[in-house]
Amino acid sequence: MKFSKIKEETISLISSWDRSKSFGVDPLHVENDLLTGGELEDRKDRLHDLFHTSSFVLDNLYKQLKNTPFMVLVSDADGYILKSWGNSPFTNRARKVWLDAGANWHEKVKGTNAIGTAIIEKKPISVVGEQHYCRENHFLCCYAAPLYSPTGELLGVLDVSGDVRHHQAHTMGMVIAAAQACQAHLLLESAKRELTLCIQETDTIFDWYGQPLLSVDRDGVITRINQDASRIFGLPPEKCIGQHLSRWFSRKDIDEILSAKGPSFVEPKLKTDSSGGEEIKKWIVRPVRDQRDRVIRTVLSPKPLERKEHVQKVNVQEVKEQSLTRESDIICNCPKAKEVFRLASVVAPTDATILIQGETGTGKEVIAQSIHRASGRSGPLVVVNCAAIPESLIESELFGYEKGAFTGAKNEGHQGKFEAADGGTLFLDEIGELSLASQAALLRVLEEKRVTRIGSHRSKPVDVRIIAATNRTLSQEVEENRFRADLYYRLCEIELFLPPLRERSDLFDLAEHFLEEMAKELGVPHISLDQIAREKIAGYSWPGNIRELRQVLRQAAYRACLLRRTSTITVQDISLPREKVFQPSVHSKSGLWNQQEVETLKMAIEKTEGNLSQAARLLGISRTTLYRKLSQYPQIRKLRKEVLRN
């Protein structure tokens, strides 16, 4: 495994040197590309969200390296370093080769280096000493990992660079973990912002419930419209969505609508040849803002507000809090599952090591929590996702380390998960993902019941009850030499097999439980499934099991309650991405949505004269998403070619 990784890195470096040569980079004399102050601030502002959400991660990473000859850098996707953290004297030497904010470290400028090569290879990479293409950088050892947006777009690179004499393999794992943490924070913030925006927009729609209304993005493109408003424009809703307001309003009127700072009245006139015959004198404009107080969407209605007293508004904070609350009650009316939980309740008070096996989403962590609560142990339940920790860091996470054990180690050392769980339970989720080396270290601790920190010669006794879980068949992994047999038998003193949802007989008991939760979240008395919807979920195989059922029902409940204002979920509300049945025909509502999407894409391609970057910005999607749409619709690709030819 390690040989394969070394071989892969070597191939990447050879390819990078070939590219550097083809770019015309002089290894003896570098022509630096430096930003001016204004340009640097502009580029920083484009990554404002990344720096804002990841400040804790980046500051913590720098604290670990503060008293070492290393520095932390973040570049954008073009290779320009936007921020750097470091102390002299190393930073003074680094600045002599322009390893500092404002300098471009793309391969086209600097040849093979961690930042530039990570941008092109789109994967973590280390470049040490003479592996750098340019001779002036041979004193560096650099470790870099790409940073991606929630939509999969490359934002930039996180890099740790230092004196080559202090090169440590552990540093690469630390950089990868920090980059993953930055992306997780960015994803969480993006989801939170989108939820807030959706609920704010929904609140605005609630205020105007029963009135003609439409929502437009910051460029004036219609994103949502109801039947009453579309009649005013003289087109069906699917023909209106994706259209620019300029089809019905003058440029001056549109500017007035989009520049509104708060709820206001405007008096634009519909173009007479486009209206449906209704004369509208006043329109009400209400902007929807994000957390940075930027107007993202604007909702319009041609009539005064008329509040509906019977409409219950959703409390945003309540939705957030309840969506983060995990279920504490286990719903189990299936004989197969009941037998598993019965065995779990019997062994919970013992010290037996338990191995829980089952497909993803079957509730392995839920049953582990229940076992811990029923165990009577005074210590905490500590959860470790073995699949989420890089191999180079797993032992330091489990067993801890002493100060100075490796580059970046905390000055005070670090307590491992075994010590943190002393007196309680350690839940090792995805245990099947551990490397063979980590398995050997774990087995030693389980047998000796003592833990030794990395960099220490003294072991400490620990009183920890182990619960492990995996979605793999460990007995088969043992046969194929991917899992140690001695560790497998040590873990499975008690073995629990959770049945997949498709084999359980309490599907609708679980569904009703989740719908009760959704009803509380949304502030409605109850939510139910109609008969066709029940048949649809009953005929589905649920590869994601209970977790997928909960997610599908939550999405369906939000669609039904917030968009259609009903407490009954129909088949149209249920989205099953892997389903093999219930596919809509070309004449169905789904077919209309596909046609609507095609029309929207055509409008964007024509308006931007085939420029995909501009079209993506106009549509409010990433370029990656737009490329995927082009591959989905051949007619749009053909249209773009025609536009570019003309």
Side-chain angles (χ1 to χ4, degrees):
M1 185 73 169
K2 288 185 177 179
F3 175 77
S4 175
K5 188 173 182 180
I6 293 171
K7 183 179 179 182
E8 183 182 343
E9 290 180 351
T10 303
I11 292 172
S12 295
L13 289 171
I14 292 172
S15 299
S16 176
W17 274 61
D18 289 341
R19 286 194 300 269
S20 303
K21 186 176 181 180
S22 67
F23 290 147
V25 178
D26 186 346
L28 301 179
H29 180 71
V30 179
E31 295 289 339
N32 289 294
D33 176 10
L34 307 175
L35 291 174
T36 63
E39 292 174 320
L40 179 60
E41 291 307 313
D42 286 344
R43 286 182 176 267
K44 281 183 183 178
D45 189 60
R46 293 176 202 169
L47 294 188
H48 172 275
D49 289 347
L50 172 67
F51 289 125
H52 174 70
T53 58
S54 305
S55 59
F56 172 79
V57 177
L58 297 172
D59 290 343
N60 191 49
L61 178 62
Y62 171 57
K63 285 177 184 176
Q64 296 180 55
L65 300 169
K66 191 172 184 180
N67 297 316
T68 66
F70 282 85
M71 61 192 302
V72 178
L73 307 111
V74 175
S75 83
D76 64 11
D78 295 324
Y80 288 101
I81 297 175
L82 304 184
K83 282 193 176 184
S84 65
W85 297 259
N87 287 327
S88 57
F90 173 75
T91 51
N92 293 335
R93 190 178 180 190
R95 289 192 182 101
K96 292 180 180 179
V97 295
W98 293 101
L99 186 62
D100 199 7
N104 190 336
W105 277 70
H106 195 281
E107 280 187 353
K108 293 179 180 179
V109 179
K110 291 283 192 176
T112 301
N113 71 90
I115 292 175
T117 305
I119 288 173
I120 292 181
E121 295 282 338
K122 290 184 170 53
K123 64 182 181 182
I125 195 160
S126 62
V127 180
V128 180
E130 294 182 358
Q131 292 175 345
H132 288 87
Y133 187 75
C134 295
R135 183 178 297 177
E136 67 179 24
N137 298 326
H138 286 182
F139 73 97
L140 295 171
C141 59
C142 306
Y143 317 86
L147 297 165
Y148 291 97
S149 73
T151 58
E153 189 174 8
L154 180 67
L155 295 176
V157 170
L158 173 62
D159 173 85
V160 168
S161 293
D163 191 317
V164 69
R165 293 171 294 182
H166 295 266
H167 164 58
Q168 294 250 9
H170 285 297
T171 309
M172 187 74 250
M174 183 172 61
V175 173
I176 293 172
Q180 291 173 341
C182 289
Q183 291 171 185
H185 281 274
L186 189 61
L187 178 62
L188 181 62
E189 185 65 21
S190 175
K192 186 170 69 173
R193 183 183 300 124
E194 185 60 28
L195 174 63
T196 302
L197 274 175
C198 286
I199 294 179
Q200 286 176 347
E201 187 176 28
T202 302
D203 281 346
T204 304
I205 291 172
F206 281 171
D207 286 337
W208 294 350
Y209 182 68
Q211 307 294 337
L213 58 92
L214 64 148
S215 180
V216 298
D217 63 16
R218 66 175 78 184
D219 296 315
V221 176
I222 297 174
T223 57
R224 297 181 186 180
I225 189 169
N226 65 5
Q227 291 281 355
D228 292 334
S230 68
R231 276 196 292 270
I232 295 172
F233 291 164
L235 290 174
E238 63 270 13
K239 293 291 186 182
C240 294
I241 294 176
Q243 295 286 343
H244 197 271
L245 286 179
S246 58
R247 178 163 183 170
W248 294 281
F249 299 111
S250 68
R251 182 72 257 176
K252 179 182 177 182
D253 290 337
I254 295 170
D255 290 341
E256 186 178 3
I257 291 169
L258 299 181
S259 63
K261 302 299 182 183
S264 58
F265 287 91
V266 296
E267 298 185 14
K269 293 182 179 180
L270 278 174
K271 295 178 180 178
T272 55
D273 59 338
S274 299
S275 90
E278 299 183 37
E279 184 179 355
I280 307 299
K281 294 183 178 179
K282 282 192 175 182
W283 293 70
I284 303 168
V285 178
R286 180 173 289 184
V288 177
R289 299 175 178 276
D290 67 3
Q291 291 178 323
R292 293 178 66 185
D293 204 34
R294 297 173 301 183
V295 176
I296 302 299
R297 297 170 192 160
T298 303
V299 179
L300 298 102
S301 176
K303 293 183 180 180
L305 285 173
E306 292 182 10
R307 289 185 176 270
K308 299 293 183 180
E309 297 299 329
H310 66 277
V311 175
Q312 287 185 297
K313 297 181 74 175
V314 178
N315 183 295
V316 177
Q317 189 60 35
E318 187 175 308
V319 170
K320 288 180 184 177
E321 291 174 358
Q322 294 192 21
S323 65
L324 294 172
T325 302
R326 305 192 67 136
E327 64 208 85
S328 57
D329 298 323
I330 296 175
I331 304 301
C332 181
N333 294 320
C334 167
K336 276 188 179 180
K338 273 185 178 179
E339 187 61 31
V340 176
F341 287 108
R342 189 178 296 116
L343 177 58
S345 65
V346 170
V347 301
T350 72
D351 290 329
T353 300
I354 297 174
L355 176 63
I356 307 171
Q357 298 194 66
E359 295 178 3
T360 298
T362 49
K364 295 187 290 294
E365 185 170 347
V366 172
I367 196 171
Q369 292 171 340
S370 301
I371 292 171
H372 173 70
R373 284 195 297 269
S375 69
R377 299 182 69 86
S378 58
L381 171 68
V382 176
V383 179
V384 178
N385 187 331
C386 300
I389 304 174
E391 182 182 344
S392 58
L393 297 179
I394 189 70
E395 292 188 31
S396 63
E397 280 295 311
L398 290 177
F399 313 131
Y401 56 80
E402 296 292 348
K403 63 178 181 180
F406 51 84
T407 302
K410 295 179 181 178
N411 291 333
E412 67 275 18
H414 175 69
Q415 181 188 59
K417 302 300 185 186
F418 270 88
E419 291 182 58
D422 194 19
T425 304
L426 182 62
F427 177 51
L428 300 173
D429 198 11
E430 304 294 350
I431 188 76
E433 304 300 322
L434 281 181
S435 67
L436 289 170
S438 299
Q439 291 173 32
L442 175 61
L443 176 64
R444 185 179 67 251
V445 174
L446 295 183
E447 290 179 338
E448 298 175 357
K449 298 188 183 300
R450 301 181 70 87
V451 64
T452 304
R453 291 188 179 186
I454 295 174
S456 174
H457 300 291
R458 292 182 297 116
S459 63
K460 300 178 182 179
V462 286
D463 174 23
V464 176
R465 200 266 187 83
I466 300 294
I467 301 176
T470 180
N471 57 11
R472 297 189 179 192
T473 305
L474 283 195
S475 58
Q476 184 178 339
E477 296 290 302
V478 170
E479 291 177 2
E480 295 175 3
N481 297 319
R482 289 195 293 265
F483 201 87
R484 293 179 63 107
D486 44 6
L487 178 58
Y488 169 67
Y489 294 119
R490 184 66 183 78
L491 289 172
C492 66
E493 291 179 355
I494 301 294
E495 207 163 7
L496 302 177
F497 293 90
L498 285 173
L501 183 56
R502 61 184 173 275
E503 295 178 12
R504 291 180 58 158
S505 59
D506 56 354
L507 171 66
F508 289 108
D509 293 320
L510 289 162
E512 288 173 9
H513 172 70
F514 294 145
L515 290 177
E516 286 176 8
E517 288 186 340
M518 310 312 162
K520 291 177 182 177
E521 289 180 9
L522 295 167
V524 296
H526 70 280
I527 301 174
S528 61
L529 295 157
D530 72 9
Q531 185 56 38
I532 301 178
R534 290 173 70 88
E535 292 173 6
K536 183 172 186 176
I537 68 171
Y540 182 55
S541 62
W542 298 107
N545 293 290
I546 298 173
R547 185 182 295 123
E548 184 181 21
L549 174 65
R550 188 176 188 177
Q551 180 272 329
V552 167
L553 290 177
R554 170 172 275 116
Q555 183 168 307
Y558 273 63
R559 283 178 176 172
C561 295
L562 299 184
L563 296 181
R564 298 194 299 105
R565 301 303 300 150
T566 177
S567 60
T568 301
I569 294 173
T570 66
V571 71
Q572 287 81 14
D573 299 316
I574 298 176
S575 175
L576 300 176
R578 302 180 184 89
E579 64 185 328
K580 301 300 182 185
V581 293
F582 290 95
Q583 292 293 338
S585 70
V586 295
H587 302 294
S588 68
K589 187 174 182 179
S590 178
L592 288 175
W593 282 109
N594 288 341
Q595 183 59 35
Q596 166 197 312
E597 188 171 57
V598 169
E599 292 298 326
T600 303
L601 291 168
K602 286 173 63 177
M603 177 276 296
I605 294 296
E606 290 172 346
K607 184 175 179 63
T608 59
E609 298 179 347
N611 186 309
L612 295 185
S613 296
Q614 293 180 15
R617 283 195 294 272
L618 179 63
L619 293 167
I621 60 178
S622 69
R623 282 174 295 179
T624 303
T625 302
L626 182 55
Y627 288 134
R628 191 166 63 249
K629 294 294 181 186
L630 291 180
S631 65
Q632 183 180 348
Y633 299 116
Q635 63 268 48
I636 301 299
R637 294 201 305 273
K638 182 179 178 182
L639 172 65
R640 180 173 180 255
K641 289 180 181 178
E642 293 174 355
V643 170
L644 291 174
R645 277 201 300 268
N646 296 333

